Structure formats: C-alpha cells, structure tokens
Amino acid sequence: MTKLEVLRKYFGHNAFREGQEQLIDSILDGRDVLGVMPTGAGKSACFQIPAMLLGGTTIVISPLISLMRDQVDALVQNGIPAACINSTQDSTSSYEVFCRAAAGEYKLLYVAPERLETEGFARLCSSLTIPLVAVDEAHCVSHWGQDFRPSYLKISGFVSSLNERPVTAAFTATATEYVKHDIVEMLSLNDPFTITTGFDRPNLYFEVRKPEDKDSELLKILRGGTGGSAIVYCATRKNVESVCAMLNRNGFKAGQYHAGFDAEQRQAAQDDFLFDRMDVMVATNAFGMGIDKSNVSLVVHYNMPKDIESYYQEAGRAGRDGGDARCIMLYSYADVELAKFMISVSHDDAVRTQKEIEELEERDRIRLRKMQGYVGTSGCLRAYILRYFGENAAARCTNCGNCTGDMETVDVTVDAQKILSCIFRLKQRNRAVGKALLCKILTGSKEKRILDEGYDTLSTYGIMRGMPSVRVRDIITFLEGEGYFEVCGDYSICVLTPKADEFIKSKRAITMLVPKKAAVSFSAIHEAAKNDDSHQNPELFDKLRETRKNLAASLGVPPYVVFSDAVLWSLCARLPKNNDELLRIPGIGTFKAERYGRKFLGIINDFLKEH
Ligand code: ADP
C-alpha cells in the first residue's frame, strides 16, 4: 500500500495537507524529523501513516492520558490496531495490552514518558521490532515551553537503549526558536528534517470585546448560538466557579474544570464535555492539552491570558474539524493587573535561582505587553498573531473583528495628542504614572491621591473630561499597542517612545477601529454562516447528530470519534445515496463506511423521502 492509499482507506482523506507528505517521506526514508505545525493541522497522521507502512510497532510518547485515549479510540474506529498503556488501567486490561503488544498485534502503542523507565516496559520493548518512536507535544521537553515535563528528558536515553535505534519523530505546535532548538538537543534528534508550516487557521474568527458587563456579554455570545461545544476560559478558579454558576442559572448546561479538582473530578468533567453531555466547559488553563475534541466551535476568553502563546493555543482548540469557529476575548483593564500578579508568583520555586526567576519574569512581562498590544490594535487581529510568531501576513483578513463590518474607523488624533502630551507634561515634572492613573488625570478625577500629588495643576488635567473612562482607557491601550508609549519597570509607568515624538512633530492623523454603535451583532454573522454551503439542512444535521451520539455511547467513545461535525455537515450538504457517494465525503474511509454507512445512509434516505 502507498501512503496515499493509507490516507484514503483508513482516514478517509483524499490529499495530504501542507507538510504531511514531506514528513512522512522523511520518516519512511529513515530520517529523524521535527514537525512544527499548528493545532488541527494533522500532525498525528504524519506518524500514524508511517506506522502503518513500516513493519513492527511504533511507540508514541504522549504527555496526557486523555490525549492517548482519544487518539487510540480514533485509530481503532478507523480499523487500525492500536492501544495505550496507562496508569488508570486495571491490572487485567494492562496485562492484556502487554500480552497483545508482545505478540506484535499493535501497529501503534501509546505510552506516557514515565512508562519508559519501568522495567516491564523495557522488557517488552526488547522483544519488539520498533521502527519509529513518535514524540507528541514535543515542546514538553523544553524548559522554555509552557508545559515542561521532566520525564520527557528520559526519552533520548530510552531511544538509545533499544536494540536498534528507531527513527525519532517529534511534533509540536509551539514554534519559537528556543523551543525548537531544545527539542532537537534534548531528544538527540539526528540531523532531523524540520518543517514549520503556516500558523494561520483561516477557519477561526478572532474578536476582542471590551464590555461593561462581561457576564451579559458572554450570555449574548452564547445565545447567538455555539453550533457545537463551547469553552470559556477564565484566569482564576474563582471566576470559573462564578461564571459556571451564572451560566447554569441562565439555562446553559455548563460544567467546570480547574486545578483544584482531583483526578477523578477532572476526568468526569472532561468526559462530560467530550461525550457532549454538556454544552459549555468553563475552565482555567489547566483544561487544555488533552483536548482534541473536534467540534468546539466557540472559545471565549473571559479574561485576557498573559501571552499570545497561551491565547493562540487555547483559542486554537476551536474549529479543529476545519469548520467555522469563533474565538472571542472579553477584555477589561483588571485582566492586566491579574496577569501581572500571576507572573509575579508563577516562577517562585525552589529549583530556580533568583536570577533565573527575574529573567523569566522579565520575559513574561514582555510577552504580556505583546498580548496587550493585541487587545489594543486596530489592525488585523490575525495578522498581529501571525507576525508575533514570525510569519508574514496580509494587512487585512476577512475573518476577524477588526476586518469585518462590525467596526468603524474613528479619528483619535486629538485624543492621542492629549494623552501623549499628558505623559510628556508629567515627565517635565520628573514624574511618571501608570495607565490607570493617567486615565484619571485626563478625566479630571478628584481622588485624594491626585490632589495630594498636585496632578490637578497640570495643564493636561481634566482635558478629556466628558469622555467615559472606559473609552479613554481603550485609546490609551490602543496607543500602547501601536507603540507610542511603553509600560516599563516594576511600577508599570508610561514612557513615551520615539514614535510619539515623530507623531507630535508630523501632526499626522491616527485612526482607531471601534465597534459600530449599531454594530451588526455577531449572531447575524453566525446566521449568514449557517446559510452557506457548509450548513445546509440543519434539521437533518440534528438527526445525524443524535444517531452519532447514540452510536458513540454504545461504543463507549466520544461522538466526534465516530464522525466529526464537519463530516456530518458534508453529509447534510451532499446527501449521499449509496456507499460510493459516501466514500467521497472527506473524513469517511472504507472502514467507517462499512461500519456506520448503512445507518447514516438510512437516515439520509428517510430525509430525502420526506422532502
Ligand atoms: P494536530 O495533532 O495537528 O492538532 P490532528 O492530527 O488531530 O491535528 O488532526 C486534526 C484534524 O485534521 C483531524 O480531524 C484529522 O482527521 C484531520 N486531517 C488530518 N490530515 C488530513 C488530511 N490530509 N486531509 C483532511 N483532513 C485531515
């Protein structure tokens, strides 16, 4: 069989996506690889297809049990012999997996890195032919990554301990140079073929909102329809609890997940979400890496995360099936303070020296400023993210809040002059303030602190009186994002940059995008999306979804493992009448067609008769 035949027969896809073919070819040629591809790009096929074509058993090292289970379920559903060994299995089932593995029955065997050190596993491996070791979420090997796992450092020793050194293939969605370099070093990759594919996720719509009341804004967004499952990320456990309670009071089936849960509670919450028993998962960033659920169509950030890396990773859990999905951030200035606090406590551990802690905190503060730039920019949000990751991007996309028609351009030249000259006047008095105080001075606050410091005698005191503080703060954040001033030092004071000087001298105009007063609501956009090709016959979709849910429950797997939402929508649009037509649907291979085809064709047939 060729690699394309495997892709068609077992995965039901007709063509390779960017990067897949080169990675697969390199592995088949016996060369180590490093694949850096965004979430949802199809990294797993890059090692699963070679595993099918090479003799023996491929070992896949994966950091989380949920992730392993998900992939193994999906493989088994596609007719590929695969299993995982993990700590939650009882002795009977792990004995069975060991026996079948020893008999060479599996093409892929998933394990957590901790397993590599155990004697039983080492013995098993010494009796197996292992052509390939695939390391998923390889950034876990790097101290610079977000999810460092010390046990990942054992992988290279494990690989060299095997009878014959297998090809090592590493995959990650984290692109920074530091992390890439660490992966190659720490995993001892041998002259790896490395590919970094585009980070753009065109199906994701990005938007930032700055609502007065986040709860009612969140309800408005959710009532606009999620079209699938939704995740709401909050920065703290307290927020998770209150937002989840608020949603349940308002009639949503919401569940929660945070680091305060024990393993059992986590598992239960995660399963409820994966098996579609709840609509909305409210969670801290503890809910994450293992979430491969393909039909998440909305990710709302109730608080601004502390860096773009986290934001893109979390938002990227939407739209993995390639369908339209939305990523909306609800911003307020308090989020910045919260993020700063989190940075100040996150590196304090016994292992690091004071110097290392300071370096990491400074790195985090720089990242936070970039995150604030995202919130404040009036340019394309997608372009902002892509440029952050070092990619070229068009100045405008057609799928973010700043590029669609919800926004209007307003001239803020005079406001910018007032704000920047206030910073300048303060500097003339050898004073500097943070953004919150700056806003108060500009709006003429009578707070004691302002009067005590004599800020009311500045010529710029109160020159923006009459404009709501929220709006003034928005313009301040925007100017920071555009680089007219920077926030520096422990006290986060505002310091003008050369760009501000140049603006004052040149007197050119500054424009900013703001939501239109009578903005087209997002639900209108959502409705429009429903009318396009990909969302035809929604009543049939509901029936197919119900069937999928029942089928999945009887098989004990999450519904999207049977078919993704994108596959169901394709069935609704193309209405296949027989097996051949069914096989033309992207995502349906021979195995699934044989297994589920009759049932789904039957429902489509009934639907056609009724209509
Ligand atoms: P990643 O691990 O990169 O986040 P996955 O391997 O989970 O992504 O794949 C994401 C989705 O893309 C899955 O639903 C998978 O079936 C699909 N996919 C993978 N390769 C292809 C392909 N060549 N054509 C179409 N869909 C694909």
Side-chain angles (χ1 to χ4, degrees), residues 7 13 15-17 20 38-45 292 320-321:
L7 181 74
H13 304 309
F16 285 107
R17 285 191 181 155
Q20 285 181 324
T39 309
K43 289 186 280 299
S44 13
D292 265 358
R320 291 180 65 114
D321 59 3

Side-chain angles (χ1 to χ4, degrees), residues 521-540:
S521 71
F522 194 82
S523 54
I525 297 176
H526 195 72
E527 278 311 308
K530 273 193 185 158
N531 293 335
D532 84 20
D533 249 18
S534 55
H535 288 85
Q536 289 173 27
N537 300 319
E539 58 289 27
L540 175 60

Side-chain angles (χ1 to χ4, degrees), residues 34-38 43 170-175 180 194-197 199:
L34 167 58
V36 185
M37 295 153 98
K43 289 186 280 299
F171 299 89
T172 178
T174 302
K180 278 201 250 184
T194 303
I195 199 164
T196 305
T197 64
F199 263 60

Side-chain angles (χ1 to χ4, degrees), residues 1-17 20 45 48-49 52 74-75 77-80 321 561-564 566-568 570-571 574 579-594 596:
M1 229 192 267
T2 65
K3 56 181 188 286
L4 192 59
E5 282 164 351
V6 175
L7 181 74
R8 290 193 174 138
K9 177 159 189 242
Y10 291 98
F11 297 88
H13 304 309
N14 280 323
F16 285 107
R17 285 191 181 155
Q20 285 181 324
Q48 290 167 348
I49 292 176
M52 291 296 287
L75 287 167
Q77 288 303 308
N78 282 329
I80 299 173
D321 59 3
V561 168
V562 173
F563 284 139
S564 69
V567 168
L568 295 192
S570 296
L571 290 172
R574 301 192 194 182
N579 210 40
D580 282 349
E581 289 180 11
L582 195 67
L583 282 169
R584 274 183 231 133
I585 305 277
I588 303 189
T590 339
F591 193 79
K592 282 193 177 171
E594 271 167 23
Y596 315 126

